[in-house]
Amino acid sequence: MAKPLAVVLLSGGLDSCVTAALAARDHDLALLHVKYGQRTEAREERAFRDLCEYFRPRYSLITEVPALKAIGGSALTDASIAVPEKEPDPRSIPVTYVPFRNAHFLAIATSWAEVLGAEKIFIGANELDFSGYPDCRRSFFDAFEKAIEEGTRPETHIRIETPLIYLTKAQIVRLGAELKAPFHLTWSCYQQEETACGRCESCRLRLKAFAEAGLKDPIPYASSATEDL
């Protein structure tokens, strides 16, 4: 019997890779990658293509939202805003937040899911060990599901699955290891494309998670990049 089809938003990072591995257990995959003018756009696309080779989805799609770079307001899309290399302040939204990014991604995923007949969209959002992004909360995804119901055909019913939403980053790494997720194909660094910097908040979260999980991160980091972590 054929598996149901699910659209999986796949950035090429650790969380989206584990999410794809989870979705693949019970679904055929439609892997979706969205470019938005981020600093490491080329490296993330490469990770996506490598992961497609690994997961062998039924469908794959790379698309773009150039408006997010044109709008700016984030260290990920505006070269004049430095990527922070210290622990983010939990009391404020960090400058790496791309305004309302997940809404754009989910809108594209919804359009594609409706065309393909998929009833689920998977996204690797996390509400515990994350950088404080407001569009990574389950309440946001619940609200977006209501928008999907209002804005699609009457026969269309699409649920947004967030299987990692309440896991710590270390738990996500352990889960990925259990699923044999190809961590070596992923990329998380916010500012470098050949060797991960080890200092940006994304690298810090990732390195801390692997250390807490008792595992070695298989991607390359700059020499001495983690001395002060």
Side-chain angles (χ1 to χ4, degrees):
M1 184 179 295
K3 295 180 180 179
L5 183 66
V7 171
V8 181
L9 280 158
L10 185 61
S11 68
L14 185 150
D15 293 350
S16 67
C17 174
V18 175
T19 299
L22 278 169
R25 295 188 303 182
D26 301 311
H27 301 81
D28 280 341
L29 303 181
L31 298 181
L32 173 62
H33 182 73
V34 185
K35 303 194 293 184
Y36 57 97
Q38 68 273 38
R39 289 172 184 261
T40 55
E41 180 178 273
R43 185 62 184 84
E44 290 179 30
E45 181 179 344
R46 184 175 127 200
F48 173 77
R49 293 183 183 278
D50 289 344
L51 289 166
C52 283
E53 286 291 319
Y54 179 87
F55 285 111
R56 299 290 181 180
R58 190 193 304 180
Y59 304 100
S60 66
L61 176 65
I62 297 174
T63 188
E64 300 182 51
V65 183
L68 289 176
K69 183 171 178 61
I71 290 167
S74 168
L76 300 192
T77 56
D78 186 341
S80 69
I81 303 174
V83 173
E85 294 188 348
K86 60 181 181 180
E87 292 292 330
D89 184 347
R91 297 168 297 179
S92 62
I93 305 299
V95 295
T96 52
Y97 165 63
V98 180
F100 216 45
R101 178 182 61 181
N102 281 343
H104 294 265
F105 291 1
L106 288 170
I108 294 169
T110 299
S111 295
W112 199 33
E114 188 167 30
V115 168
L116 296 178
E119 296 185 353
K120 290 184 179 180
I121 296 169
F122 282 78
I123 184 170
N126 179 264
E127 198 168 322
L128 293 184
D129 280 350
F130 76 129
S131 298
Y133 302 158
D135 59 351
C136 284
R137 298 174 296 184
R138 184 61 227 187
S139 57
F140 168 75
F141 299 112
D142 291 340
F144 207 96
E145 279 186 346
K146 293 178 181 178
I148 291 172
E149 283 294 311
E150 290 293 322
T152 55
R153 295 185 182 96
E155 64 270 23
T156 298
H157 303 288
I158 299 171
R159 175 164 177 77
I160 301 171
E161 298 287 345
T162 55
L164 311 184
I165 198 79
Y166 299 124
L167 299 183
T168 67
K169 203 78 165 180
Q171 287 174 325
I172 293 170
V173 169
R174 292 190 191 101
L175 176 59
E178 291 173 9
L179 295 169
K180 295 182 170 51
F183 290 140
H184 64 290
L185 300 178
T186 66
W187 196 255
S188 301
C189 184
Y190 280 160
Q191 58 185 347
Q192 293 184 189
E193 295 190 296
E194 293 304 321
T195 303
C197 73
R199 297 185 181 279
C200 69
E201 59 194 78
S202 183
C203 281
R204 286 174 176 270
L205 280 170
R206 177 173 174 140
L207 284 165
K208 180 183 176 185
F210 271 93
E212 290 179 351
L215 298 170
K216 178 176 172 53
D217 190 342
I219 71 168
Y221 286 87
S223 61
S224 303
T226 62
E227 286 181 356
D228 62 346
L229 296 183

